[in-house]
Amino acid sequence: MRRKIVSSPRVLLCRVTFQFSAQYLLVWSFWKRQFRGNMFRNQYDNDVTIWSPQGRIHQLEYAMEAVKQGSAAVGIKSKTHAILIALKRAPSELSAHQKKILPIDDHVAVAIAGLTADARLLCNFMRSECLDSRWAYDQALPISRLVSMVGNKSQIPTQRYGRRPFGVGLLIAGYDSAGPHIYQTCPSANYYDCKAMAIGARSQSARTYLEKYLDTFAECSLEELVKHGLRALRDTLPSEMNLNTKNCSLGIVSVDMKFKIYDDEKVASYLALIEGEERSTAAPDGEEGDAAAPATRTDLQPPVPVSAAADGEEGMES
Amino acid sequence: MATPAFPTSFVPGPLWGNGPTPGQVYNFPGAATAPDQWGTQRTLNPSVTTTSVLAVKYKDGVVMAADMLGSYGSLARYRNCPRLQKINDKTILGCSGDYADFQFLSNIINQRVVEEECLNDGFSYTPPGLHSWLTRVMYNRRSQFNPLWNTYLVGGIHQEKPFLGYVDKIGIAYEADTIATGFGAYLALPILRDAVEKNKKMEEKQAVELIDRCMKLLFYRDARSLNKYQVAVVTKKGSEIRGPIVSEANWEIAHMVKGYE
């Protein structure tokens, strides 16, 4: 005769409660894991359409971090010239250094820092707008108008569910009927009119240098201006690295001169201007760009194959 | 198997003749631009037209003049049609041809000027910029076989120098020191050119006198003109439209015409 398994109400209840709470424990442990380290930093950074209680949009701030991962670029203007100097990075020893200064029109060019693919998109847009102005009005597009168009375009994905901000910062240098201009644009869709600016990895040292000599830029000759720019860029490099013709890119525009971009051997004569000079500051290690990513300083480590990248970011940015 | 005495498919006869068919789109009679079965029509004839515009470059700027008549064919129907438009302090626009097309484009241009004022960034329409834009618009319409039936003159100051440009309804565009459209091209242009050849750096007074003389001549000889006209002057100090000026004409010769009482 089979004995019935005891099933008093109390036992049943215990059994059910146990099963139920086991499942709940499982769910709860996954949920709790979100608060531990790597998945998300907080519960307000999943989408760009979510405000944090402090009034911040974390996705925008994370996008700005992407700009800080890109290599440095410096822009300075005087009364007569606007220049861009950028540090090129090579993803591996086998590949060429990534172009950093892109021409837009005869009177404008941009230096990019961050996701190169996003930069290409914005660059194509800017070229299209400049061409349009030349076709319709037979005139160069004023830089301020071009920059505000970029700002308007960048703002759209910062306020739409399912989209992400552009992960690139631009330094736009140009010359129009109102003189030379340097503008900085951010993934947050803000743009700033600057006398001089530096963006990218370890760019704080460059900005410190530029602030020091800010009052002298307006009256500088072209040669002086380029020297300042090269010195500022050099300050973003660690002490054992130096600017050379492979990793340095220079662009100059002026009233009677179309935008010219110098690469490789053509930079050599400008680099010679600061050769032998003592470096005023060397960037302290681990200064910037470590907040978001673990300490992969892609400039210093031996070239890492893309598939082995820690968070898959190295192949995208320059 | 007798054949049926009545038709198997019964189609009712028309309820009325010479009128709209039920269920069909009805094109009311007399509609000028009603779409026909081939799509949208294009108007190929202007209705209210205006006659010549003249302009001449002088030492400090540009003088432009146009009378104020809108003709309905040969009828001098509307005698207060301003055809000179101030775009901004350094640009003026004059137009001849179909008046409605001028009003259409004029509205669009005004809208753009206002938008640009709102931008408030120190950049405004320049005479060559407007000239280029107009050329694109006119040529585009011509390429669609739906032209704006106008001829435009754009005058102004650009980089301290006077500018004067012409744009046609078929997109022909050029710049010159003296330009006249319509009948003015035959009657007034030779006089303007001759004066400029003799004196390239005219003063404003001389230029305005020259224009007045040409407008008078046109009133005598152009059968679609009026003696009431406006004059626009652009210098680096700014632009203004003067008028309406009514020129006195001497018709004493009429008494000498046999048969004219």
Side-chain angles (χ1 to χ4, degrees), chain B:
Chain B
M1 285 297 182
T3 53
F6 48 85
T8 45
S9 64
F10 179 69
V11 175
L15 288 167
W16 55 72
N18 302 325
T21 324
Q24 297 289 93
V25 173
Y26 180 64
N27 295 322
F28 287 92
T33 51
D36 61 5
Q37 57 178 147
W38 308 116
T40 350
Q41 266 183 358
R42 293 143 177 151
T43 322
L44 295 174
N45 301 301
S47 28
V48 174
T49 55
T50 52
T51 185
S52 357
V53 189
L54 326 173
V56 64
K57 274 197 220 173
Y58 69 101
K59 186 176 83 174
D60 303 321
V62 178
V63 178
M64 197 185 286
D67 68 19
M68 301 186 71
L69 175 67
S71 313
Y72 191 64
S74 62
L75 171 67
R77 190 162 175 189
Y78 305 104
R79 296 194 291 176
N80 191 21
C81 298
R83 299 196 278 131
L84 297 176
Q85 190 179 356
K86 173 178 159 149
I87 308 292
N88 55 38
D89 279 331
K90 43 185 164 77
T91 323
I92 50 172
L93 183 71
C95 175
S96 69
D98 186 80
Y99 199 60
D101 283 347
F102 167 61
Q103 285 174 321
F104 166 72
L105 202 54
S106 178
N107 272 336
I108 292 175
I109 292 173
N110 282 335
Q111 235 171 332
R112 285 170 152 258
V113 170
V114 166
E115 271 164 24
E116 202 170 46
E117 278 171 24
C118 291
L119 284 178
N120 196 23
D121 58 358
F123 294 100
S124 55
Y125 277 109
T126 61
L130 185 67
H131 183 241
S132 177
W133 179 81
L134 263 179
T135 315
R136 298 282 163 247
V137 170
M138 301 296 273
Y139 184 75
N140 180 44
R141 289 292 297 251
R142 156 262 194 216
S143 304
Q144 294 168 21
F145 279 90
N146 190 11
L148 290 165
W149 206 278
N150 292 120
T151 310
Y152 284 95
L153 290 196
V154 180
I157 303 282
H158 182 61
Q159 288 169 349
E160 321 262 305
K161 290 201 295 276
F163 172 92
L164 182 57
Y166 164 106
V167 186
D168 212 293
K169 65 176 166 296
I170 49 176
I172 293 179
Y174 59 85
E175 296 171 41
D177 289 340
T178 56
I179 310 183
T181 69
F183 247 84
Y186 302 101
L187 295 172
L189 199 53
I191 299 176
L192 293 174
R193 283 179 178 169
D194 190 55
V196 165
E197 240 179 69
K198 292 209 179 79
N199 180 8
K200 270 211 164 46
K201 300 270 177 210
M202 274 189 275
E203 297 297 322
E204 182 183 312
K205 199 157 166 300
Q206 291 169 300
V208 173
E209 246 174 51
L210 175 67
I211 290 286
D212 282 340
R213 191 177 142 217
C214 290
M215 292 303 285
K216 201 171 207 175
L217 167 67
L218 282 173
F219 178 58
Y220 280 128
R221 290 297 179 179
D222 180 4
R224 306 282 183 265
S225 63
L226 195 64
N227 60 346
K228 179 174 158 208
Y229 62 94
Q230 290 175 312
V231 175
V233 181
V234 206
T235 58
K236 64 173 187 275
K237 294 200 197 80
S239 61
E240 59 159 347
I241 300 185
R242 304 175 190 164
I245 303 165
V246 181
S247 63
E248 294 302 318
N250 185 343
W251 294 105
E252 289 304 309
I253 197 173
H255 297 292
M256 293 185 232
V257 175
K258 214 165 181 181
Y260 183 84
E261 302 306 327

Side-chain angles (χ1 to χ4, degrees), chain A:
Chain A
M1 199 153 84
R2 273 170 66 209
R3 228 182 201 202
K4 240 191 191 168
I5 311 278
V6 153
S7 54
S8 76
R10 208 202 299 169
V11 170
L12 267 172
L13 187 65
C14 286
R15 200 177 285 159
V16 166
T17 325
F18 179 74
Q19 284 175 339
F20 183 75
S21 55
Q23 285 169 2
Y24 182 73
L25 197 66
L26 208 64
V27 169
W28 182 78
S29 70
F30 275 124
W31 187 67
K32 182 80 167 76
R33 191 162 164 260
Q34 293 184 9
F35 289 82
R36 263 190 257 133
N38 301 341
M39 271 186 79
F40 300 101
R41 258 194 254 160
N42 53 53
Q43 50 181 310
Y44 306 112
D45 60 1
N46 291 355
D47 299 306
V48 78
T49 50
I50 298 182
W51 289 96
S52 80
Q54 290 79 35
R56 291 151 62 179
I57 302 180
H58 290 281
Q59 280 292 306
L60 288 184
E61 290 167 26
Y62 298 164
M64 315 264 276
E65 288 294 319
V67 176
K68 293 183 198 156
Q69 297 291 315
S71 64
V74 171
I76 324 179
K77 70 175 182 188
S78 69
K79 272 214 188 93
T80 50
H81 292 80
I83 64 169
L84 289 171
I85 314 193
L87 189 66
K88 292 192 283 194
R89 202 184 265 170
S92 77
E93 276 203 1
L94 298 170
S95 42
H97 287 69
Q98 172 67 50
K99 271 198 180 21
K100 287 276 282 187
I101 303 182
L102 310 174
I104 305 290
D105 196 348
D106 286 338
H107 66 301
V108 204
V110 289
I112 64 179
L115 268 58
T116 317
D118 284 4
R120 218 174 30 241
L121 203 117
L122 283 178
C123 191
N124 282 339
F125 169 73
M126 292 165 80
R127 285 175 180 162
S128 175
E129 294 300 323
C130 283
L131 256 182
D132 202 60
S133 175
R134 291 226 184 250
W135 179 83
Y137 304 105
D138 195 23
Q139 264 171 17
L141 184 60
I143 314 292
S144 53
R145 290 195 184 175
L146 175 64
V147 173
S148 69
M149 283 173 181
V150 173
N152 290 339
K153 185 174 166 78
S154 305
Q155 194 277 341
I156 295 169
T158 69
Q159 205 178 2
R160 208 150 277 195
Y161 180 73
R163 293 190 63 174
R164 62 159 180 84
F166 287 102
V168 62
L170 304 176
L171 274 184
I172 301 172
Y175 201 106
D176 59 21
S177 53
H181 302 274
I182 300 278
Y183 280 91
Q184 177 197 8
T185 65
C186 297
S188 56
N190 290 127
Y191 50 89
Y192 309 97
D193 190 357
C194 311
K195 290 183 195 165
M197 179 48 73
I199 57 175
R202 286 177 293 277
S203 55
Q204 184 53 54
S205 328
R207 283 198 289 276
T208 313
Y209 177 92
L210 292 173
E211 277 168 31
K212 209 157 119 194
Y213 294 94
L214 188 59
D215 296 324
T216 64
F217 290 148
E219 300 299 330
C220 273
S221 67
L222 175 62
E223 198 179 282
E224 283 297 313
L225 210 66
V226 174
K227 285 208 275 199
H228 278 304
L230 286 170
R231 286 189 208 116
L233 193 66
R234 193 177 50 185
D235 282 351
T236 67
L237 292 170
S239 25
E240 59 271 18
M241 270 190 77
N242 219 330
L243 293 177
N244 54 52
T245 55
K246 279 224 165 57
N247 66 8
C248 187
S249 188
L250 167 66
I252 308 174
V253 71
S254 155
V255 62
D256 40 17
M257 185 181 123
K258 294 187 190 173
F259 210 108
K260 262 204 100 181
I261 299 177
Y262 301 92
D263 281 304
D264 302 319
E265 307 83 34
K266 301 206 185 81
V267 206
S269 56
Y270 291 99
L271 282 173
L273 295 172
I274 58 163
E275 213 172 284
E277 277 182 21
E278 255 186 45
R279 292 188 36 175
S280 49
T281 54
D285 286 340
E287 178 205 309
E288 241 190 2
D290 290 334
T296 39
R297 295 204 307 274
T298 50
D299 302 315
L300 302 182
Q301 289 178 346
V304 176
V306 176
S307 55
D311 44 356
E313 284 185 306
E314 283 157 13
M316 292 194 286
E317 291 154 355
S318 59

